[in-house]
Amino acid sequence: MKYERTYNFSAGPATMPEAVLEEIRDEMMNYRGSGMCVMEMSHRSKMFQQIADEAEQDLRDLMGIPDNYKVLFIQGGATLQFSMIPMNLMKNGVACYVETGAWSKKAIAEAKKVGEVKVVASSKDKNYSYIPDCSDLDIPDNADYVYICENETIHGLTYSKLPNTKGKILVSDQSSMFLSRPCNVSDYGMIYAGVQKNVGPAGMVVAIIREDLIRDDLESLPVYMQYKAHADAGSMYNTPNCWAIYVCGKVFKYLKSIGGLEAMAKLNEAKAKVMYDFLDSSKMFNGTVAPCDRSLMNVPFVTESKELDAEVVAYTKAAGFENLKGHKSVGGLRASIYNAMPIEGVEALVECLKKFEQERG
Ligand SMILES: *Cc1c(COP(=O)(O)O)cnc(C)c1O
């Protein structure tokens, strides 16, 4: 059966691979002879444990996660990590943050409630349109970690090269780029990602954390805020987000089936090229980010005026393309072209924008 579906350019929750949605549909009423939907299943059952174990193993295979890293599935989205990270990782009470946009600003604001935050680089001067030079940051000896938002979803920035942390551990928010390309996990102390951007349904974060960073001297912290509680309980300290674990597990298997992260990266590069080549050739539409720092996942762009931007949003919506309005904090337009957006969707969008430009230009 074919369903009528739109090309959904939402920044999150975002489009999912159709093959995965179809599998979930087929398993909805009776998951593998259990007579239940996974939604109805005890998280303590053998069947669900197997779903969770496979999800973790498939993610480990995809990313090549070393054995000395724990994989945790935690609720509270990426936002809870803005607090959990400083609460767990600030031993000396000092951390360095790179400020590249809205999401790193939020992380900085929460970390300041826990300890001393040193903003070691910022692109605020140019409205977060570039990644600052991070090759020689002024990192104090007692800093506990260096924090980055590796892909700024709202501003459309990504790092082409990781910061030189001068031996300190790197903590990265990969929410809007998770599994979009190969990643060398051992370059990081911790990677985390809210899954609703590039992987699954909202309400869960995947945290990949080096074992020696998980502390057992934090009894005074609320238990849910301790990585140790989640690690010791295999991410089932309380009822986990079973549905998200199930769906993410399917997406991990899907990514393996199409050739893993290298194949995914090639596709993402091809899709982004279609978008950026168009923006670079258009007279009406302009990208807002320095070319070397452009995100492969979130493509912000503008016309000469707010009024025209709004017209474009209405025009694309009428043509069947959803969620192209830029984030309310920056305006303009934004096409989020995550893993699950097919290249046909990007090509069709570019055709639509070209048509608009011709009609109006
Ligand atoms: C969406 C997003 C978040 C927040 O995610 P929630 O799950 O809503 O808490 C944090 N960081 C980045 C980079 C994001 O894109």
Side-chain angles (χ1 to χ4, degrees):
M1 179 175 168
K2 266 286 157 203
Y3 297 87
E4 215 168 285
R5 292 181 45 86
T6 65
Y7 286 124
N8 176 10
F9 292 89
S10 167
T15 193
M16 292 281 296
E18 285 197 0
V20 168
L21 294 179
E22 283 169 352
E23 255 184 57
I24 293 166
R25 173 200 62 199
D26 293 346
E27 292 175 347
M28 186 65 72
M29 302 307 285
N30 181 356
Y31 177 81
R32 302 194 181 170
S34 65
M36 293 177 213
C37 177
V38 174
M39 236 183 263
E40 303 168 299
M41 212 173 264
S42 164
H43 62 296
R44 305 288 179 202
S45 65
K46 246 174 133 172
M47 201 166 227
F48 186 76
Q49 188 65 54
Q50 192 184 347
I51 291 172
D53 290 346
E54 275 184 34
E56 175 174 343
Q57 191 55 52
D58 286 329
L59 179 63
R60 285 184 176 275
D61 295 346
L62 268 178
M63 294 183 77
I65 300 174
D67 289 343
N68 63 327
Y69 285 73
K70 288 275 187 207
V71 172
L72 307 177
F73 301 122
I74 308 174
Q75 298 179 64
T79 298
L80 189 66
Q81 296 309 306
F82 298 162
S83 304
M84 276 181 84
I85 287 164
M87 285 173 162
N88 283 267
L89 302 186
M90 275 189 181
K91 266 187 173 165
N92 301 325
V94 183
C96 297
Y97 279 67
V98 181
E99 183 192 47
T100 49
W103 292 116
S104 34
K105 264 165 67 178
K106 283 195 165 173
I108 288 167
E110 292 306 302
K112 279 183 174 166
K113 297 176 185 172
V114 181
E116 189 189 326
V117 170
K118 209 172 165 226
V119 177
V120 285
S122 171
S123 53
K124 193 176 179 183
D125 60 338
K126 289 186 182 157
N127 200 21
Y128 308 114
S129 58
Y130 70 103
I131 297 284
D133 179 7
C134 294
S135 60
D136 186 20
L137 300 170
D138 185 13
I139 298 170
D141 283 343
N142 62 347
D144 291 307
Y145 58 88
V146 176
Y147 179 103
I148 59 171
C149 175
E150 205 166 334
N151 187 83
E152 279 280 0
T153 321
I154 292 172
H155 307 270
L157 299 175
T158 202
Y159 286 74
S160 51
K161 192 167 176 283
L162 292 177
N164 174 1
T165 64
K166 303 189 173 166
K168 304 299 180 191
I169 61 159
L170 181 64
V171 175
S172 176
D173 177 357
Q174 289 196 348
S175 295
S176 48
M177 61 173 289
F178 195 53
L179 304 179
S180 65
R181 63 183 190 207
C183 168
N184 185 22
V185 175
S186 35
D187 288 343
Y188 304 79
M190 178 178 165
I191 295 167
Y192 74 98
V195 298
Q196 78 275 24
K197 308 290 163 69
N198 217 5
V199 192
M204 189 173 82
V205 78
V206 175
I208 301 166
I209 178 167
R210 217 172 65 200
E211 263 166 6
D212 60 289
L213 301 173
I214 298 176
R215 285 163 61 184
D216 53 14
D217 61 343
L218 293 171
E219 289 88 3
S220 61
L221 266 192
V223 64
Y224 208 77
M225 303 301 280
Q226 300 173 24
Y227 289 124
K228 187 177 187 314
H230 298 279
D232 286 354
S235 296
M236 294 198 201
Y237 176 76
N238 68 332
T239 317
N241 186 336
C242 301
W243 185 250
I245 292 172
Y246 164 68
V247 177
C248 289
K250 292 232 173 270
V251 173
F252 301 154
K253 281 195 197 303
Y254 170 78
L255 289 172
K256 281 172 93 173
S257 79
I258 64 163
L261 300 189
E262 262 148 44
M264 196 65 249
K266 283 211 179 86
L267 271 170
N268 285 330
E269 281 158 19
K271 284 187 288 178
K273 186 170 181 334
V274 171
M275 237 6 250
Y276 288 118
D277 280 355
F278 165 67
L279 294 175
D280 289 342
S281 68
S282 165
K283 288 206 169 65
M284 180 181 279
F285 298 101
N286 289 300
T288 55
V289 171
C292 56
D293 302 326
R294 286 168 164 177
S295 168
L296 294 185
M297 300 278 101
N298 311 98
V299 183
F301 55 103
V302 293
T303 66
E304 63 185 22
S305 74
K306 279 190 184 131
E307 293 69 31
L308 195 55
D309 290 346
E311 273 188 58
V312 179
V313 172
Y315 184 88
T316 52
K317 190 173 170 64
F321 304 95
E322 292 288 338
N323 292 310
L324 283 155
K325 196 166 178 236
H327 190 269
K328 59 184 188 298
S329 63
V330 296
L333 296 116
R334 173 178 52 169
S336 292
I337 51 175
Y338 294 123
N339 282 358
M341 172 59 65
I343 192 160
E344 293 78 16
V346 183
E347 287 165 349
L349 173 65
V350 163
E351 282 315 305
C352 179
L353 295 173
K354 276 184 182 162
K355 192 159 161 256
F356 182 88
E357 185 168 355
Q358 266 163 15
E359 287 171 13
R360 301 297 305 267

